[in-house]
Amino acid sequence: DAGITQSPRHKVTETGTPVTLRCHQTENHRYMYWYRQDPGHGLRLIHYSYGVKDTDKGEVSDGYSVSRSKTEDFLLTLESATSSQTSVYFCAIRTGGYEQYFGPGTRLTVT
Amino acid sequence: KQEVTQIPAALSVPEGENLVLNCSFTDSAIYNLQWFRQDPGKGLTSLLLIQSSQREQTSGRLNASLDKSSGRSTLYIAASQPGDSATYLCAVNRDDKIIFGKGTRLHILP
């Protein structure tokens, strides 16, 4: 599993509240990714990071921000959660051999 | 824009049969292609990674092939078992991003 953990694993929050999801890795991989998975849409890239303080947008980045102040942690923040952001969020790392490994996911419900 | 397609979306096969899952992509300029398995409510598990210079990779009962020129990959599963029931996703890697297909939901009938 490449030592990837996500917290929290489940969260229920109200519309308009800020939410931060955390991804932690133990193997010092440079690249980290945040995806969301929804029925009918598959996995879609939100943001990714290619080093400390180096991030870039994916295809569904609106409403999300990220931060990476340490190699091992990649945070995803929903500034003001909306019901359309109800989803399962996955973090992943990419190895030097370009192989991706995924965390267990966070199920977020916005009511 | 790279698009990845997996057909069929769902497949049911009797136990013991060999089967092939398909993945197609529109842009052949890829670094590699990766096959994943996802069980319900779980994360993705990496099965096989094929580099762009390779034609196939094998792991146990699984064999993945890659034909970049035609934009196709197949995942062959030999002697299927009920435990193989899951959703199988392929993903192509170019630059810093990976594009996923929507997966094939496989059900092995006991």
Side-chain angles (χ1 to χ4, degrees), chain A residues 31 33 35 37 40-43 45 48 57 90 94 97-104 107, chain B residues 1 31-32 34 36 38 41-44 46 48-49 51 89 93 95-98 100 102:
Chain A
Y31 281 80
Y33 300 79
Y35 294 91
Q37 187 176 39
H41 292 279
L43 273 159
L45 180 65
Y48 68 100
K57 297 179 180 180
F90 287 102
R94 194 191 80 184
Y98 288 79
E99 188 164 8
Q100 280 211 334
Y101 291 94
F102 282 75
R107 185 173 297 275
Chain B
K1 178 186 176 185
Y31 290 159
N32 59 45
Q34 194 168 356
F36 296 87
Q38 185 175 29
K42 304 293 186 181
L44 279 71
S46 177
L48 289 164
L49 174 73
Q51 301 293 352
L89 298 99
N93 185 345
D95 301 324
D96 291 337
K97 302 176 184 178
I98 293 184
F100 284 83
K102 294 183 179 178

Side-chain angles (χ1 to χ4, degrees), chain A residues 26-87:
Chain A
T26 60
E27 298 184 356
N28 292 320
H29 295 291
R30 182 179 167 204
Y31 281 80
M32 298 184 75
Y33 300 79
W34 277 108
Y35 294 91
R36 59 178 290 174
Q37 187 176 39
D38 305 287
H41 292 279
L43 273 159
R44 292 179 292 175
L45 180 65
I46 305 172
H47 281 279
Y48 68 100
S49 169
Y50 46 97
V52 173
K53 294 187 176 10
D54 293 322
T55 65
D56 203 352
K57 297 179 180 180
E59 63 177 303
V60 290
S61 59
D62 288 347
Y64 301 94
S65 63
V66 290
S67 66
R68 190 165 180 204
S69 58
K70 299 185 292 184
T71 298
E72 58 265 36
D73 290 324
F74 191 30
L75 304 180
L76 177 70
T77 298
L78 290 65
E79 302 291 347
S80 178
T82 67
S83 59
S84 65
Q85 293 175 312
T86 292
S87 185

Side-chain angles (χ1 to χ4, degrees), chain B residues 34-100:
Chain B
Q34 194 168 356
W35 281 94
F36 296 87
R37 168 187 173 136
Q38 185 175 29
D39 294 289
K42 304 293 186 181
L44 279 71
T45 300
S46 177
L47 296 174
L48 289 164
L49 174 73
I50 312 176
Q51 301 293 352
S52 62
S53 58
Q54 298 175 317
R55 297 284 297 192
E56 64 178 90
Q57 279 285 344
T58 298
S59 175
R61 293 182 296 109
L62 305 180
N63 176 275
S65 69
L66 175 64
D67 184 344
K68 276 185 23 177
S69 62
S70 66
R72 297 187 64 177
S73 175
T74 61
L75 179 67
Y76 174 84
I77 302 177
S80 59
Q81 304 171 357
D84 294 330
S85 297
T87 296
Y88 291 79
L89 298 99
C90 68
V92 297
N93 185 345
R94 180 182 176 178
D95 301 324
D96 291 337
K97 302 176 184 178
I98 293 184
I99 307 299
F100 284 83

